[in-house]
Amino acid sequence: ANQDIPVQLVVETAPGAEEIVATKTYRVSQDGEQLRFELGYVPEQASEFKLLVRAVPQAGEVTTTNNELPTFLTVMNGGLRVLYVQGELRREQRFLRRALAASPDIDVTLVTLHTRDRDNWPVSHLARHFEPGTYDVYIIGDVDAEAFH
């Protein structure tokens, strides 16, 4: 209780080799307390990275195996290409598109499939959007499956 806990962001630079890229200290007021934290890291090159968030073990800590959380990060050249396929326009798509567009490294393409155009379904040009390598991320909103057949 009332302890300062250093939290590290660690990048595996080679198998078994680590580099601490960020450290921030957080104060906990009671044992077992869960805290939100934020650590920043911008890789200098496109690649796959293994990241690890680690709370530095404290004196007298009985279990330290729960002090680490690993994950993977893929950084691509040229940013991220996102296809957002949406049925009728809904409020949430505007907020999601705005959040994605805030990053200069994210390019969002919106395809809207209105139900009023149902007579033209299936949409013939839609398949080209799903060719491998065209987009990195696909967001499928509330779309009638008949548009894809």
Side-chain angles (χ1 to χ4, degrees):
N2 290 323
Q3 258 186 313
D4 290 333
I5 309 288
V7 178
Q8 303 171 329
L9 180 60
V10 180
V11 176
E12 185 177 273
T13 55
E18 299 177 342
E19 176 185 352
I20 298 170
V21 294
T23 301
K24 203 170 191 180
T25 300
Y26 294 89
R27 177 167 286 271
V28 294
S29 57
Q30 58 186 351
D31 288 343
E33 180 180 0
Q34 293 186 11
L35 298 173
R36 289 185 176 268
F37 62 89
E38 185 174 324
L39 298 168
Y41 170 62
V42 179
E44 296 178 11
Q45 61 190 24
S47 186
E48 292 267 335
F49 297 91
K50 181 178 180 184
L51 301 177
L52 182 72
V53 174
R54 176 186 298 139
V56 175
Q58 301 299 297
E61 191 170 0
V62 178
T63 303
T64 60
T65 56
N66 62 350
N67 287 16
E68 297 184 347
L69 181 64
T71 191
F72 291 91
L73 172 68
T74 301
V75 177
M76 296 181 269
N77 281 321
L80 194 63
R81 295 165 299 174
V82 177
L83 175 65
Y84 190 160
V85 181
Q86 178 63 47
E88 299 303 313
L89 291 177
R90 302 196 189 294
R91 290 183 60 197
E92 66 268 12
Q93 66 80 27
R94 180 176 45 160
F95 297 108
L96 182 56
R97 284 179 44 220
R98 187 179 306 146
L100 294 170
S103 171
D105 296 323
I106 300 177
D107 178 35
V108 180
T109 300
L110 176 67
V111 174
T112 305
L113 303 172
H114 294 285
T115 54
R116 69 173 177 255
D117 297 328
R118 183 179 294 277
D119 294 340
N120 297 323
W121 289 358
V123 179
S124 59
H125 74 277
L126 200 54
R128 69 180 165 86
H129 290 292
F130 291 91
E131 292 176 6
T134 305
Y135 292 95
D136 304 304
V137 175
Y138 296 91
I139 301 172
I140 311 294
D142 187 15
V143 180
D144 190 318
E146 294 297 317
F148 291 96
H149 288 283

